[in-house]
Each structure stands twice: as structure tokens, then as C-alpha cells.
Amino acid sequence: MKLSVANDSGMGATRFGDIIYERIVAMIADGTFPVNERLPAEAKLAEMFGASRPVVRDALERLRMDGLIVSRKGSGSYVRQRPDSSVLKMVPVGSLADVQRFFEFRAGLEAEAAELAARNWQAADKERITLALQKIEQCLGEGRLGAEEDQELHDAIAIATGNQFHITVRELFRPHFAIGHSVTRSLSLKRTPEQIRSVQDEHAVIVQAIFARQETEAHDAMKRHILNARARMFQGV
């Protein structure tokens, strides 16, 4: 159980904290730390993983942000929900925390893109966005993953901003976007038809606001969608 590391300070602490974070996620997913049960104290976790308490504390804070654990005053941290174990198989080892951080980055970036798209879209953009939304709908009807189609919709919205930097960012970080779309779409296939439909409904709300040139509504709908996608990574199936 104990992890060895040469140094858990500075930049090394951040990376080691990510490893501990991922290990605790795995232990929650496999039932080692059951739902509604209290996690070991910080000092015990630090001993288990061979880390300093501040590093463990950082990992626990991220788990709280992700909704996996909850703190109870005077009692400690408790497991709130158990994610599907397949999450850990869909991302490179040690990168789960970075995937979650990228969702945080996307929430701001893509919300701004949706707002700009609502302000600036042209006829060709409307056609491109509509087609992308229809392709996702077709994937749902056929039970296909639809990760590429999902990404295509978000690409179309970036193009509709009329701002080349939004397009460039999506190209620069295309592998990061692809992982996020692939993980969330893969997990959605394990969920109920109602839950799957709710994701597409989120897309429809964003698109409707964009086409109505409702900038604030488009911004807020996109931000909710990205943060919901982030949260869905850790929802049990």
C-alpha cells in the first residue's frame, strides 16, 4: 500500500498528491473504503501512503471538490459516492486529477465560447451546429458512443465564435478534449435512458440559447453542462 517517493515537496508534492488522490479514488471504487463509512484519519493515510499530511490534505480536498467524500465537523471525512471502476481504466495512470482539472478549465473556456457564438454566429455556423446535434441524436438512437460527434458539436460552437483563438485552443488541446468526451460518453452508455437523454437535453438548451442570441443564457448553460459532465465522471452506475 505504501508508495515510495524521493520528495513530496514543491512540484513533486503536487504530482504525489495526484497519485494519492487516484489511489483513494480506486479504493473507493473497489469498496475498500465503503460508501457512508469514515475514511482513515489524515495521519493514518499519510502513514499508509508514505506522504506528508499536507500532501494527503490536498488529495482529500480534491476528493471533496469532486463530490466523492464529505467532511463532517468533528468526525472526519466520509465516502459520499462510489464511482464506476472503469473510470480508472479510461485515463492514463496518474492523470485522473489532470482530467478533472481540465474540466475546470473547460468550464470557463467553453462558457465564453458559447456566449461569443450566441453573439456572432452566421448561417453556416447554424447549419454546422444543427448537423452536429443531429449526429449525436442519431448515435443515441443507435446506441453508439458518440464521443467524436459530441466533440464535433463543441468544435462547431468554437468556430461560431468567430475568434480564431477559441479554435486554436481546441486544436492545441485536442487529446485532452478527446479524453473528456470519451470518458463521459462511455460512462453514459451504462446509465439509464433518462440519464442519457438528460445529457442531450443539456446540449439542446445550449444550442437553443445560441440560436436565440441569448448570450448570458448560452454562457450559463454551457458552464452547467461542463461542470455536470465533470461530476458525472464520479457518479455510480
Side-chain angles (χ1 to χ4, degrees):
M1 181 71 66
K2 187 173 181 179
L3 300 174
S4 61
V5 64
N7 184 2
D8 70 351
S9 62
M11 289 299 291
T14 301
R15 185 60 180 164
F16 193 35
D18 289 351
I19 294 171
I20 294 172
Y21 161 88
E22 193 164 307
R23 284 291 298 153
I24 297 175
V25 171
M27 294 169 80
I28 294 173
D30 69 16
T32 300
F33 296 146
V35 174
N36 296 326
E37 294 294 320
R38 187 167 67 88
L39 287 177
E42 273 185 18
K44 179 62 176 177
L45 289 171
E47 181 183 348
M48 288 170 62
F49 296 118
S52 65
R53 289 182 65 174
V55 172
V56 170
R57 194 172 300 127
D58 286 345
L60 293 176
E61 179 58 29
R62 180 152 290 276
L63 290 164
R64 276 189 285 273
M65 289 173 58
D66 292 337
L68 281 174
I69 67 172
V70 62
S71 295
R72 297 178 186 172
K73 190 173 182 180
S75 182
S77 298
Y78 288 75
V79 178
R80 182 182 179 190
Q81 62 180 344
R82 179 181 178 180
D84 186 82
S85 59
S86 61
V87 169
L88 294 161
K89 300 174 184 176
M90 296 178 193
V91 299
V93 174
S95 67
L96 185 59
D98 283 341
V99 171
Q100 291 296 80
R101 290 188 185 107
F102 194 69
F103 272 108
E104 294 169 3
F105 170 70
R106 285 181 60 189
L109 177 74
E110 297 199 55
E112 292 296 327
E115 180 176 337
L116 277 176
R119 184 185 311 164
N120 297 329
W121 67 263
Q122 303 297 315
D125 298 312
K126 185 173 185 179
E127 182 177 348
R128 188 181 297 110
I129 291 171
T130 300
L131 179 59
L133 190 64
Q134 289 172 346
K135 285 182 179 180
I136 299 175
E137 191 67 41
Q138 185 176 353
C139 288
L140 292 181
E142 298 173 356
R144 292 189 287 115
L145 183 61
E148 292 182 5
E149 290 79 3
D150 194 335
Q151 191 161 344
E152 187 177 327
L153 173 62
H154 288 261
D155 286 343
I157 292 170
I159 293 169
T161 65
N163 184 316
Q164 74 271 25
F165 292 105
H166 276 284
I167 301 168
T168 299
V169 166
R170 290 195 66 84
E171 289 301 322
L172 284 174
F173 292 102
R174 184 153 295 276
H176 298 75
F177 284 108
I179 288 175
H181 287 290
S182 180
V183 170
T184 53
R185 299 298 298 190
S186 295
L187 290 172
S188 73
L189 292 180
K190 298 185 176 186
R191 299 196 165 106
T192 67
E194 292 76 18
Q195 289 172 316
I196 296 172
R197 171 52 51 188
S198 70
V199 178
Q200 183 69 342
D201 288 344
E202 289 176 12
H203 286 145
V205 170
I206 295 165
V207 170
Q208 183 178 15
I210 289 173
F211 290 165
R213 297 202 185 277
Q214 297 172 330
E215 297 176 24
T216 300
E217 289 81 354
H219 175 284
D220 293 347
M222 179 63 87
K223 187 167 187 176
R224 281 195 304 272
H225 171 60
I226 300 299
L227 293 178
N228 284 345
R230 179 179 181 273
R232 279 190 285 264
M233 277 191 67
F234 287 143
Q235 289 173 354
V237 298

